[in-house]
Every structure is written in structure tokens, then in C-alpha cells.
Amino acid sequence: MPKDRFPVGVIVARRRLKSPWADHQWLPVGALPDIPETAPWTLLASTEGEDRFYAGAHEVGLHISETGHYRDNLVSGRPSLWVALRPVAGDAYEVATVTADPYEGEALAEGIGEIVEAVPMPETIQAAVAAFVDAFHVERTFEKRKRDRADPEALGRRNIAAERGGGSE
């Protein structure tokens, strides 16, 4: 039975900016298929323009009704996980959610206040998502609804006096 939940580790970067309005920017940049034994917000690497941190772990949940979305993600040429960071206080952030559903990721990006970015999906996670899709995906055929035809004669036969609340005058 394929897993419907799995943990991922989230890597974020604090990039230095040359702007009069902000001196840095937070951005999700990666996902780890395993949870390291490292405390959240541990500095992993530092360069002149960027610091990378392990932001912590988050559980990704897969839903049977979304298997078509996961399949679209896997065949896109760049399978991704969407990571949302939520501000908690001052310049501190927490991992709000991680999803493999591209349509949910797009909806998250429309929100205000959270930082949402698509990051590459590790191959082991791709394999787990593909196994879930193979096990539960059911192809649904599109059936266009047929509208009822309007009866133009019915419009001419309605009783206008009865609709106005009176009888025949």
C-alpha cells in the first residue's frame, strides 16, 4: 500500500538585496526527502549574497481525489513541491504547508502574507507520489451536460394577471 503521508525537510535562503526598501528576502529553495537530525533554523551554508537554513520538517499529505493533479505535476518536466512560509513575528517565519498539488500551490501563491515557491521534488518523493497515483488514479471521462431546450410558447401562455396578484379585471 503506497504511503499517503510523508515528511520532508525544507531548505530556505535569506538573500541579500540591494534595495532602499529591504535588505534581504526569504525564499524556499529546496526539499529534503529525509528529515535531518538538525534543529530547525540551523544555518547550513553562507556565501556573500545568501545564507541557507534548514527551516524544519513538514508532512506532505496525498489525497485520492487529487491524483490527476499529482500526475500532471510528475509529467510536467519539472516535478515540484510548493512550500509556503508564514511570518510569525518580526523577521521570523515558519513552514506553513508543503504540497505536491500544483493547483493548490497556485492557489497558495495568490494569498497575501505568505511566501510561496515551487522547489524541485526529490526523486525518492517523485517515486512515492508516482506509486500513489498508480495505485489510486481513476481516469474520469468528461461528459458535457445537455441543456433543456427552452419552450418559447410557454412564455406567451403565462397568466400575467395571476402573477400580479389579481384576477381578471
Side-chain angles (χ1 to χ4, degrees):
M1 187 76 164
K3 292 184 195 178
D4 65 344
R5 301 194 168 286
F6 51 88
V8 295
V10 177
I11 306 294
V12 299
R14 182 176 61 200
R15 294 188 176 152
R16 290 167 191 75
L17 301 174
K18 294 178 181 176
S19 167
W21 298 281
D23 61 349
H24 66 275
Q25 166 192 31
W26 288 100
L27 193 66
V29 293
L32 303 171
D34 296 316
I35 307 303
E37 293 187 23
T38 304
W41 296 104
T42 299
L43 180 64
L44 300 175
S46 186
T47 64
E48 184 177 319
E50 178 178 283
D51 296 326
R52 288 194 176 215
F53 296 87
Y54 169 65
H58 195 78
E59 187 174 75
V60 176
L62 301 177
H63 307 282
I64 292 173
S65 61
E66 308 301 330
T67 55
H69 300 176
Y70 306 138
R71 184 192 61 206
D72 292 347
N73 186 4
L74 292 171
V75 300
S76 70
R78 185 178 180 254
S80 302
L81 293 172
W82 282 259
V83 178
L85 298 178
R86 175 185 310 131
V88 288
D91 194 35
Y93 285 85
E94 69 180 359
V95 178
T97 191
V98 180
T99 182
D101 182 345
Y103 306 107
E104 182 182 1
E106 182 180 338
L108 289 169
E110 293 175 0
I112 297 174
E114 291 184 347
I115 299 169
V116 180
E117 193 66 34
V119 301
M121 184 186 297
E123 289 183 14
T124 55
I125 295 175
Q126 288 179 40
V129 172
F132 186 84
V133 170
D134 289 344
F136 296 109
H137 184 68
V138 175
E139 196 63 44
R140 300 171 202 262
T141 59
F142 177 75
E143 293 183 26
K144 187 172 181 177
R145 287 185 351 191
K146 293 186 180 178
R147 300 180 75 179
D148 294 334
R149 293 189 49 94
D151 182 7
E153 295 297 320
L155 295 174
R157 286 182 274 176
R158 66 180 206 201
N159 186 346
I160 296 173
E163 289 177 7
R164 292 187 184 158
S168 58
E169 294 182 30

